[in-house]
């Protein structure tokens, strides 16, 4: 789910960046440092939308670097347990399938796929119902519910389920 | 006896033990002979009677103690111990507890609008070779495009959904409803289990909101 949030960060700037373009340099460094990162608390920082406030710089003893407290607004993407979202299937195997929703990877185990769907191996491995009416394969769009999340240094990984009501395939690429 | 039992248990669990012992007296003695309880080896108590967290902890501790001490009695004990399987509680969305208060939940359509604005600016920035556009931005924008295009006008969607706020629906739940594009009220309650408690209060306003949203849906 996307959120618009205000965060604060202490930016250290080398004296060579001081001058007329101090603020621009500070903002450029902030964008370089923060955009694309992820944390467990806020999720992925997708984009910075604006700078609220740049505080007074404090010169560090001994180094000459200056620390500026910067308050900025940004769009973050953070998955939550219990959230419903739509994802695109990227890989299918007998253990389950992998899907992607934005920058987040999701795995749905075969235990969390309805019992009437079975794995079919082949050139295009897929999960299909016994009557062949519903198929989950690469590039299918599925609606799933997140039941767990794990945060690494650079990415967030989730476990999902399609075993509840109103979950499952939305869009089959073969029929589209 | 009680002291021996007490030694094996963490503090604060004695009360549960004593209460369950007394209830056990009538039901359990026919099945099992808790003579061994005197020695502190096996104490079986039905955790379904006044089950508390401490009772469950003691039960797990006694499971470890009972390991490898006779098969039959253990089995019967375990059969008697098993609590009736409860339906697992549906997983509920709890955003407010995990994010700071200043975080504003956005619908995918609103996020799409903002990210597209930033993308236009990025075209200018991308001329500078030192600036790299992060992968998460591309993926976030792609995702917002695929999910945020269900409705023609996100601002009208927002104003329609805001009406549900006075019925106790919070921001996160509103966003889940907007993103999921449900067709019926039953679908809403299935996807957002936290609203089930207010079902009777919400069902009518929800039906009205869904019928208004149908008019705004983009024809695919």
């Amino acid at each position: 789910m996307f959120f618009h949030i205000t965060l604060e960060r202490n930016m250290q700037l080398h004296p060579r960046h001081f001058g007329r373009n101090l603020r621009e340099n500070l903002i450029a460094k902030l964008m370089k440092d923060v955009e694309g990162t992820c944390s467990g608390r806020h999720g992925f920082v997708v984009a910075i939308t604006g700078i609220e406030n740049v505080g007074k710089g404090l010169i560090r003893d001994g180094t000459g670097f200056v620390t500026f407290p910067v308050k900025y607004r940004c769009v973050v993407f953070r998955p939550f347990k219990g959230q419903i979202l739509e994802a695109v299937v990227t890989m299918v195997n007998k253990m389950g399938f992998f899907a992607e929703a934005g920058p987040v990877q999701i795995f749905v185990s075969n235990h969390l796929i309805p019992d009437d769907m079975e794995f079919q191996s082949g050139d295009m491995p897929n999960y299909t119902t016994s009557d062949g009416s519903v198929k989950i394969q690469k590039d299918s769009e599925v609606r799933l519910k997140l039941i767990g999340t794990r945060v690494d240094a650079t990415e967030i990984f989730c476990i999902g389920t399609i075993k509840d009501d109103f979950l499952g395939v939305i869009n089959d690429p073969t029929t589209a | 006896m009680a002291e021996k039992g007490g030694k094996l248990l963490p503090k604060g669990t004695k009360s549960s033990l004593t209460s369950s012992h007394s209830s056990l007296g009538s039901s359990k003695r026919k099945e099992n002979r808790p003579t061994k309880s005197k020695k502190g080896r096996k104490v079986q108590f039905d955790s379904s009677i006044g089950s508390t967290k401490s009772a469950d902890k003691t039960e797990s501790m006694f499971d470890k103690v009972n390991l490898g001490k006779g098969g039959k009695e253990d089995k019967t004990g375990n059969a008697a111990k098993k609590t009736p399987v409860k339906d697992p509680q549906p997983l509920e969305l709890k955003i407010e507890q995990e994010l700071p208060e200043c975080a504003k939940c956005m619908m995918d359509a609103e996020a799409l609008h903002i990210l597209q604005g930033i993308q236009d600016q990025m075209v200018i920035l991308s001329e500078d070779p030192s600036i790299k556009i992060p992968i998460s931005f591309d993926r976030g924008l792609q995702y917002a495009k695929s999910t945020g295009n269900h409705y023609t006008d996100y601002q009208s969607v927002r104003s329609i959904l805001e009406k549900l706020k006075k019925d106790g629906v919070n921001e996160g739940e509103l966003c889940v409803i907007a993103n999921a594009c449900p067709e019926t009220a039953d679908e809403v309650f299935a996807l957002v289990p936290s609203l089930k408690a207010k079902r009777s209060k919400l069902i009518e306003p929800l039906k009205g909101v869904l019928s208004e949203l149908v008019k705004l849906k983009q024809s695919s």
Side-chain angles (χ1 to χ4, degrees):
Chain A
M1 202 177 285
F2 287 102
F3 292 88
H4 209 178
I5 190 172
T6 302
L7 294 174
E8 192 165 344
R9 190 180 170 90
N10 288 328
M11 300 298 307
Q12 274 205 2
L13 212 57
H14 190 277
R16 70 168 174 262
H17 298 298
F18 298 169
R20 272 186 307 179
N21 297 329
L22 173 68
R23 194 182 159 93
E24 284 77 19
N25 288 333
L26 197 58
I27 294 168
K29 188 163 194 287
L30 176 73
M31 287 172 69
K32 211 163 124 187
D33 283 356
V34 164
E35 274 184 354
T37 58
C38 89
S39 74
R41 186 157 160 77
H42 306 121
F44 279 94
V45 177
V46 175
I48 292 175
T49 54
I51 306 292
E52 265 192 17
N53 173 252
V54 179
K56 289 190 178 167
L58 196 63
I59 304 172
R60 314 290 300 177
D61 289 339
T63 61
F65 275 81
V66 175
T67 305
F68 291 90
V70 182
K71 260 191 188 168
Y72 58 99
R73 287 190 69 77
C74 55
V75 174
V76 297
F77 185 84
R78 192 195 145 161
F80 276 91
K81 274 195 264 191
Q83 181 185 339
I84 306 291
L85 50 75
E86 292 168 16
V88 176
V89 177
T90 51
M91 192 174 91
V92 180
N93 61 34
K94 62 180 181 185
M95 305 304 296
F97 65 85
F98 286 88
E100 222 169 62
V104 166
Q105 298 284 325
I106 305 158
F107 175 65
V108 180
S109 158
N110 56 10
H111 299 292
L112 297 171
I113 295 173
D115 299 328
D116 61 344
M117 297 195 86
E118 283 188 4
F119 176 68
Q120 315 284 338
S121 57
D123 288 339
M124 197 66 141
N126 60 77
Y127 281 86
T128 316
T129 46
S130 45
D131 59 0
S133 57
V134 181
K135 204 189 251 190
I136 299 175
Q137 59 187 15
K138 190 165 180 280
D139 299 330
S140 297
E141 281 179 31
V142 292
R143 183 193 270 174
L144 44 84
K145 180 190 265 194
L146 299 182
I147 57 171
T149 58
R150 192 195 77 205
V151 182
D152 273 345
T154 54
E155 62 173 353
I156 300 179
F157 191 79
C158 303
I159 304 289
T161 176
I162 56 168
K163 220 172 183 181
D164 281 344
D165 294 335
F166 299 102
L167 300 179
V169 177
I170 306 164
N171 191 6
D172 191 345
T174 54
T175 57
Chain B
M1 282 175 285
E3 284 173 7
K4 275 196 179 175
K7 274 182 195 171
L8 289 168
L9 301 174
K11 283 181 187 176
T13 55
K14 282 183 186 175
S15 57
S16 63
L17 242 191
T18 49
S19 60
S20 53
H21 261 305
S22 57
S23 57
L24 270 174
S26 53
S27 58
K28 293 281 179 185
R29 274 184 196 149
K30 289 177 188 174
E31 293 179 47
N32 305 301
R33 291 178 189 180
T35 49
K36 289 193 179 176
S37 65
K38 288 183 186 176
K39 294 179 190 173
R41 281 188 197 171
K42 285 184 199 170
V43 174
Q44 294 140 345
F45 47 92
D46 190 354
S47 59
S48 65
I49 300 165
S51 60
T52 58
K53 280 186 184 174
S54 53
D56 288 338
K57 276 185 198 166
T58 54
E59 198 174 324
S60 63
M61 283 182 68
F62 274 98
D63 279 340
K64 288 176 192 170
V65 169
N66 283 338
L67 271 173
K69 286 188 181 177
K72 282 184 189 175
E73 282 189 63
D74 267 341
K75 281 179 191 171
T76 53
N78 284 336
K81 258 193 247 180
K82 265 185 189 164
T83 55
V85 175
K86 289 178 189 169
D87 288 330
Q89 293 293 322
L91 205 50
E92 294 187 358
L93 198 58
K94 285 170 187 170
I95 295 173
E96 282 77 21
Q97 295 169 13
E98 295 191 27
L99 273 181
E101 280 178 13
C102 62
K104 186 179 172 285
C105 191
M106 287 200 299
M107 294 175 354
D108 289 348
E110 289 169 336
L112 174 64
H113 176 77
I114 292 175
L115 293 178
Q116 273 176 339
I118 292 172
Q119 193 189 34
D120 297 336
Q121 290 175 5
M122 280 213 176
V123 168
I124 304 162
L125 287 173
S126 64
E127 289 166 2
D128 184 349
S130 63
I131 294 175
K132 288 177 196 171
I133 296 166
I135 301 170
S136 58
F137 176 82
D138 279 333
R139 289 204 182 146
L141 179 59
Q142 218 174 4
Y143 173 74
K145 272 184 188 166
S146 64
T147 54
N149 270 332
H150 295 303
Y151 298 109
T152 48
D153 179 17
Y154 69 89
Q155 279 154 340
S156 320
V157 172
R158 171 61 74 169
S159 54
I160 292 169
L161 286 173
E162 291 279 315
K163 294 177 200 169
L164 288 174
K165 267 192 176 172
K166 61 178 183 340
D167 295 310
V169 181
N170 64 37
E171 193 72 39
E173 290 161 347
L174 282 181
C175 288
V176 172
I177 295 171
N179 295 338
C181 265
E183 289 171 3
T184 60
D186 286 335
E187 196 174 337
V188 174
F189 290 118
L191 298 178
V192 192
S194 46
L195 293 178
K196 277 185 190 167
K198 308 168 208 163
R199 191 186 178 112
S200 51
K201 192 178 154 195
L202 276 175
I203 191 142
E204 287 307 323
L206 201 52
K207 283 181 181 171
V209 160
L210 290 176
S211 58
E212 285 181 57
L213 287 178
V214 160
K215 295 173 198 165
L216 287 174
K217 268 191 188 167
Q218 254 187 16
S219 53
S220 53

